[in-house]
Amino acid sequence: MNQKLNIIATIKDGVAIALVNYLSLVVTAALYLLTVWIPYLNVGTTIAMCSLPAEMAKGNVLNPLFIFDGKYRKNMGEFFILMALMGGAIIAGFLFGIIPGIVISIAWSFATVLFVDKNLNALEALRESNSLTYGNKWRIFGAKFLVVICLEIVTAIISFIFGLGEIGWLETIGTIINLVVIIFAVPALYGVEASIYRQLTSGEIIAVETPDSEKSE
């Protein structure tokens, strides 16, 4: 039986992972966006981007140039099969009342990561992702959802404060601040995913921190 993830501990760990890799993630994203229009190369870089949680989970600082490694283009055919299977099943799930689509998307959320990191074929990656997430689907959803909600609240507050009086230059400053917040939040989401992936694949679930006063009782 899978151990249960702790949402708050996972978010804290994810933010810590994101901070270590923050600049590398920004550069990696920039390189990806600058080259995504180049045929053939863009397939490899897209597959490499799918492996980010696994790379971050290793505890090393990312080398942004890793996305150009030719190994990521080796199994592009199998990758397209994986994406087609995932897309078709998730769409079908949403047609049956939305919730099945959400459950399937969470169950298979690490399929692309496993495909690259563990060198699995499409069906193996789907099965393994479903197995790893079993019993933790709503905790995975909750951890990511909390990060997104926090981002929405912060950006809404900033927009409200700097939008008072409809002063143009203040609204511009508010927009810039919101952009900075978003640029930080996206790596945080990757960090949370990396933390979840590391915990589920290693079986070492992060324990809830207990204050020293409680420990001594």
Side-chain angles (χ1 to χ4, degrees):
M1 183 177 179
N2 290 10
Q3 296 185 61
K4 305 302 182 185
L5 295 170
N6 180 272
I7 292 176
I8 301 303
T10 297
I11 292 175
K12 288 181 179 179
D13 185 53
V15 170
I17 294 172
L19 288 173
V20 171
N21 287 282
Y22 179 73
L23 289 177
S24 296
L25 282 171
V26 171
V27 175
T28 300
L31 288 174
Y32 177 70
L33 293 174
L34 287 172
T35 58
V36 72
W37 56 273
I38 303 176
Y40 187 64
L41 179 66
N42 55 11
V43 178
T45 55
T46 298
I47 296 174
M49 290 296 287
C50 290
S51 73
L52 271 176
E55 294 299 319
M56 294 170 66
K58 295 174 182 176
N60 302 321
V61 178
L62 291 173
N63 178 356
L65 296 178
F66 89 97
I67 63 172
F68 300 116
D69 194 317
K71 69 179 182 180
Y72 295 109
R73 296 188 294 271
K74 184 175 65 174
N75 296 321
M76 66 170 62
E78 191 77 19
F79 178 76
F80 288 136
I81 292 173
L82 173 60
M83 296 305 293
L85 291 173
M86 288 179 63
I90 291 171
I91 290 172
F94 276 106
L95 292 176
F96 277 86
I98 299 179
I99 292 180
I102 295 174
V103 172
I104 294 171
S105 63
I106 297 171
W108 290 352
S109 58
F110 292 104
T112 53
V113 187
L114 290 162
F115 171 80
V116 181
D117 186 42
K118 304 298 185 182
N119 197 29
L120 304 178
N121 63 41
L123 290 177
E124 289 172 340
L126 292 173
R127 291 194 191 100
E128 183 65 14
S129 180
N130 184 65
S131 176
L132 287 176
T133 57
Y134 183 78
N136 276 301
K137 291 183 180 65
W138 295 112
R139 289 174 177 80
I140 293 170
F141 175 82
K144 295 180 181 180
F145 182 73
L146 277 178
V147 174
V148 173
I149 284 297
C150 288
L151 171 63
E152 293 288 342
I153 292 173
V154 170
T155 54
I157 292 173
I158 292 171
S159 297
F160 174 76
I161 293 173
F162 286 88
L164 291 174
E166 298 184 353
I167 302 173
W169 63 272
L170 274 179
E171 291 180 344
T172 301
I173 292 174
T175 300
I176 293 172
I177 294 173
N178 273 338
L179 181 60
V180 172
V181 171
I182 292 170
I183 290 174
F184 173 77
V186 172
L189 280 170
Y190 270 111
V192 168
E193 194 164 354
S195 176
I196 294 170
Y197 181 76
R198 182 173 65 191
Q199 291 179 73
L200 295 180
T201 53
S202 68
E204 298 176 1
I205 303 301
I206 301 173
V208 183
E209 293 184 3
T210 304
D212 293 337
S213 59
E214 293 182 15
K215 292 178 182 178
S216 59
E217 293 179 359

